[in-house]
Amino acid sequence: MAVRETTGRVTRRRARTRANLLDAAFEVFAAKGFGRVSIEEVCEAAGYSRGAFYSNFDTLDELFFALYGQRADLIAEQVSAALASDGPGLDVPDAVERVTEVLLLDRDWLLVKTDFLVHAARDPEVARTLLEHRARLRRSIADRLARARGHTALPAVLGDTEGAAHAVVAAYDGVTTQLLLDRDVAHARVWLGRLLTALLTDGSARQ
């Protein structure tokens, strides 16, 4: 029993160390950009030694993947939760309002995400990871739209629910790119809501 308790404490401590390293790395990557950050800088920001780093990650790339995955999964969960409230039908303006209220629109995250996108554009292996995350987000949106088919009509120009999901993600990408430049989160939420409502309806729905 004592061995199990000790192991449990070690496991919890390691999980806490990993979480602290990810939090510190997020701040450092956002401030300096991936490719300009060393393992030592992440360790210093987190208050750990290199040994603590290597007990959780083999490379800085691996940490970067873990950080991206953590935030990308959070966004997918936010979207899924916000779209889960309706019954068979889908009140598009209400659903869009819920999504835009909770969706992560954080400039530091967008800086890190953009770094990851540029990194992926130059490395096919990284690109596969990024594409998997984006596909998961689109699936969560497409699945919800598919459940509403027959109750809520989508504009014909979008084609099927997969096409609509692609359009939603593209709108998010466009608005967040603008946010990197103008730094106006409140305006970004309003604009994203209007854009998604127009995309998923005939454009005349309540806003």
Side-chain angles (χ1 to χ4, degrees), residues 51-202:
F53 179 93
Y54 284 116
S55 70
N56 288 274
F57 304 101
D58 290 333
T59 64
L60 208 55
D61 270 12
E62 184 184 339
L63 183 150
F64 195 49
F65 277 114
L67 179 62
Y68 182 86
Q70 180 190 68
R71 299 295 171 124
D73 288 345
L74 172 62
I75 290 174
E77 289 167 7
Q78 289 174 330
V79 170
S80 295
L83 293 177
S85 304
D86 293 314
L90 184 67
D91 185 324
V92 171
D94 281 348
V96 165
E97 185 176 351
R98 289 195 302 273
V99 169
T100 54
E101 280 179 357
V102 302
L103 194 59
L104 183 66
L105 287 176
D106 175 78
R107 191 169 180 274
D108 284 347
W109 157 241
L110 297 176
L111 287 168
V112 172
K113 186 184 82 163
T114 301
D115 271 349
F116 197 86
L117 176 62
V118 172
H119 188 37
R122 295 190 173 99
D123 187 325
E125 190 65 33
V126 180
R128 277 192 288 273
T129 298
L130 179 58
L131 288 170
E132 288 169 5
H133 282 296
R134 290 174 68 83
R136 186 157 65 249
L137 176 60
R138 287 197 305 271
R139 280 197 301 272
S140 69
I141 297 169
D143 288 349
R144 182 60 190 92
L145 294 175
R147 292 199 301 275
R149 291 299 290 269
H151 300 272
T152 305
L154 293 173
V157 69
L158 295 179
D160 57 12
T161 55
E162 290 288 336
H166 271 274
V168 168
V169 174
Y172 172 74
D173 286 341
V175 169
T176 53
T177 298
Q178 182 64 30
L179 177 57
L180 278 174
L181 302 176
D182 63 27
R183 302 169 182 248
D184 190 340
V185 175
H187 181 263
R189 290 194 190 280
V190 171
W191 178 235
L192 182 60
R194 291 174 178 170
L195 185 55
L196 293 180
T197 299
L199 270 174
L200 298 175
T201 66
D202 61 5

Side-chain angles (χ1 to χ4, degrees), residues 30-57:
K32 301 189 70 172
F34 182 70
R36 299 183 179 88
V37 174
S38 66
I39 290 174
E40 287 77 9
E41 286 174 302
V42 172
C43 291
E44 182 179 352
Y48 292 123
S49 66
R50 287 176 64 95
F53 179 93
Y54 284 116
S55 70
N56 288 274
F57 304 101

